[in-house]
Amino acid sequence: MFRPVRGMKDLYGVSVNKYNFIIEQAKHVGAKYGYNIISTPLVEYTEVFQRSIGDETDVVSKEMYTFSDKGDESITLRPEGTAGIMRAIVSEGMTQSLPLKFMYYGEMFRYDRPQKGRYRQFHQLGFEHVGDKSPYTDALLIAMASEILGAIGVFDFKVLVNTLGDEETRKDYTKGLVKYLSRQEANLSDDSRRRLEKNPLRVLDSKDERDREICAMAPLISDYLSKESGQYFESVCELLAKCGVNYEIDNFLVRGLDYYSETAFEFKPTDFGVKDSFGGGGRYDHLLSVFGGPDVSGIGFAFGIERLMIMLDNSKFTSTPAKIAVIPVSEGETEAAFELVQLLYNCDIPAEFLHLGNVSKKMKVANRLECSIALILGEEELKNGTVTVKFMNAESGALKEKVVNRNGIINFLRHNI
Ligand code: AMP
């Protein structure tokens, strides 16, 4: 028996209904805020991710699906959506049209340790607003994200926000952090010791218990903020309050990718004990220029769709559209039933053509498919130009069966489904 590759899942039934619902709601809200859909390839040249996300991040150093293709090019299955979109803005010549607003959704790949809510192939839904920098933009983007959550019925969440400051802030902070971490070097994990040398900020993302204890006492970015970054963050927080966003400042929030600067945020369930976020994002000041575009700022976020799906109630996503089974009693009526099902499709009525087996088998299939009505065509019906309409699962006392004129069947169904 073949199974899906470890950490990868088949989506069907309730999960697909949930997935489609989330995307539909996000498209609706996103369109209102002026976002256009973009779909970039699932694979990019490896450098696209290496250069933007950063060599020392967990995503690049441990989690990427990187292969040599048959032409010996190093390509990578995308671990996130932002880098590919920046690449596309430049390579498709869209930089003349900045600012740009894009929504995207689809598969992402990270070679992570699979567990509940953490997969190797998962789906993200994300937004990028590229080409301007203002606290209004940040607040509106986070407000839109909160509105999307409301639209899909997720209300018990909070938005954790922090600022990573501008370049000047991060330079000063990095110095302070290195000074502190160097004193603790002997107690750090091997990974963190390497990072201390190459990219000290990434030590703060470490999942190692001892590293985390050390980082809990480390100096905070907020103590090093430049005046401009401090004011910027204050404005963002004020505007978030004006938008009615339920936010909380978290000075330890650093996000796991190198390209973030200034505003950073994550979405978490308010449910105590759930520590994993279901979405996050932030501002990136120089990302577009990494790909040869102009040095303009952008901001974006992504929700993990699987994590959103966990928060939706299964029972609301089981229903299939009210379906009609078209059932010929025997061979002699199959052709007439075939014509009838075509008529239903032409009139946009969802239907199933059940022509295999005897009548009782066909009725069983209709039940399994949760059809609400069966249209039965037997010898008698054919002779009289009628159809027998059988209401499946009709409660006692309700109309269970009715013979309807074939000419009037569409009208009848329109009034009864
Ligand atoms: P990130 O790009 O790491 O900020 O991730 C954004 C969101 O994607 C997270 O909050 C998760 O909801 C989701 N996510 C990230 N990695 C995984 C994974 N391996 N499996 C499922 N969801 C993930």
Side-chain angles (χ1 to χ4, degrees):
M1 262 275 265
F2 286 113
R3 292 166 178 277
V5 170
R6 184 164 139 80
M8 306 200 178
K9 287 211 315 184
D10 299 306
L11 284 189
Y12 57 92
V14 168
S15 335
V16 167
N17 292 345
K18 284 184 177 178
Y19 184 95
N20 287 339
F21 172 71
I22 291 168
I23 301 300
E24 257 167 50
Q25 297 302 315
K27 277 183 181 168
H28 178 74
V29 177
K32 185 167 69 176
Y33 282 77
Y35 286 78
N36 295 300
I37 310 262
I38 189 168
S39 172
T40 62
L42 292 188
V43 291
E44 296 278 351
Y45 291 117
T46 303
E47 244 191 289
V48 167
F49 303 114
Q50 263 169 354
R51 277 222 245 154
S52 53
I53 300 172
D55 276 337
E56 285 303 319
T57 57
D58 273 352
V59 169
V60 170
S61 67
K62 297 181 185 161
E63 297 170 2
M64 291 213 302
Y65 277 88
T66 297
F67 308 92
S68 286
D69 69 6
K70 289 186 175 155
D72 240 2
E73 299 272 15
S74 177
I75 57 170
T76 295
L77 294 179
R78 63 182 185 193
E80 55 98 64
T82 310
I85 293 174
M86 297 305 121
R87 192 271 308 139
I89 289 175
V90 178
S91 64
E92 297 295 332
M94 290 188 266
T95 54
Q96 299 299 319
S97 327
L98 291 165
L100 291 162
K101 291 178 177 178
F102 285 123
M103 166 182 162
Y104 64 93
Y105 55 93
E107 293 79 1
M108 304 292 159
F109 302 84
R110 294 185 193 176
Y111 197 82
D112 210 341
R113 199 165 57 81
Q115 52 193 285
K116 189 173 161 60
R118 187 172 298 279
Y119 310 102
R120 290 183 172 172
Q121 177 179 314
F122 61 100
H123 298 78
Q124 280 187 342
L125 156 69
F127 289 79
E128 308 292 343
H129 181 152
V130 192
D132 83 27
K133 181 171 180 177
S134 131
Y136 290 104
T137 302
D138 298 16
L140 281 177
L141 179 95
I142 296 172
M144 176 183 71
S146 307
E147 192 175 325
I148 291 171
L149 293 172
I152 64 172
V154 171
F155 296 101
D156 295 331
F157 68 92
K158 59 185 171 190
V159 190
L160 303 178
V161 292
N162 193 19
T163 177
L164 304 177
D166 50 20
E167 266 190 305
E168 190 196 333
T169 304
R170 275 198 311 287
K171 246 188 236 158
D172 288 348
Y173 176 58
T174 305
K175 270 189 213 153
L177 185 65
V178 169
K179 206 163 147 196
Y180 167 79
L181 291 176
S182 302
R183 276 189 258 126
Q184 306 278 351
E185 195 173 343
N187 300 320
L188 288 172
S189 67
D190 291 347
D191 265 356
S192 289
R193 241 176 284 144
R194 204 188 61 243
R195 286 173 174 162
L196 178 58
E197 235 171 68
K198 292 194 169 161
N199 189 346
L201 278 181
R202 293 279 69 90
V203 177
L204 300 173
D205 301 327
S206 172
K207 288 169 193 142
D208 180 281
E209 272 307 312
R210 276 243 291 226
D211 289 351
R212 289 181 87 100
E213 277 170 29
I214 293 170
C215 290
M217 312 292 284
L220 293 173
I221 287 194
S222 50
D223 301 328
Y224 289 78
L225 279 187
S226 68
K227 195 164 153 238
E228 290 76 20
S229 283
Q231 280 170 349
Y232 190 98
F233 187 55
E234 227 171 81
S235 305
V236 172
C237 292
E238 277 167 19
L239 292 169
L240 283 177
K242 266 197 186 148
C243 294
V245 173
N246 178 20
Y247 77 94
E248 211 171 87
I249 296 175
D250 176 356
N251 288 130
F252 289 99
L253 182 80
V254 287
R255 311 278 301 135
L257 317 177
D258 274 359
Y259 53 63
Y260 288 118
S261 45
E262 308 282 9
T263 317
F265 52 97
E266 269 182 16
F267 298 86
K268 286 206 171 170
T270 31
D271 189 4
F272 193 71
V274 181
K275 59 182 185 349
D276 273 341
S277 69
F278 57 83
R283 181 160 280 287
Y284 37 85
D285 272 344
H286 305 291
L287 190 52
L288 201 62
S289 67
V290 169
F291 294 100
D295 194 11
V296 294
S297 184
I299 184 166
F301 72 92
F303 287 132
I305 299 183
E306 280 76 5
R307 305 235 178 125
L308 293 179
M309 289 183 348
I310 291 173
M311 291 189 278
L312 303 184
D313 184 356
N314 278 359
S315 66
K316 294 193 181 130
F317 293 90
T318 50
S319 65
T320 40
K323 253 187 284 172
I324 293 171
V326 178
I327 298 180
V329 174
S330 63
E331 275 287 320
E333 295 85 43
T334 304
E335 206 173 305
F338 183 65
E339 283 165 17
L340 180 58
V341 79
Q342 281 180 302
L343 176 68
L344 298 190
Y345 289 145
N346 288 339
C347 297
D348 258 349
I349 298 175
E352 291 283 344
F353 180 42
L354 304 183
H355 59 287
L356 295 174
N358 58 27
V359 175
S360 87
K361 181 161 178 220
K362 291 170 191 165
M363 289 306 283
K364 264 192 201 149
V365 177
N367 262 321
R368 185 169 52 75
L369 293 173
E370 295 177 33
C371 295
S372 51
I373 287 177
L375 299 182
I376 296 166
L377 277 177
E379 233 176 279
E380 194 71 4
E381 284 86 354
L382 216 59
K383 200 170 75 201
N384 301 334
T386 56
V387 179
T388 297
V389 180
K390 190 171 163 50
F391 293 92
M392 316 278 287
N393 314 318
E395 283 172 20
S396 65
L399 181 65
K400 288 183 185 156
E401 233 177 67
K402 188 171 169 66
V403 178
V404 176
N405 225 318
R406 170 102 199 243
N407 291 339
I409 190 70
I410 297 297
N411 228 344
F412 179 85
L413 290 175
R414 290 236 157 95
H415 287 98
N416 287 282
I417 48 174

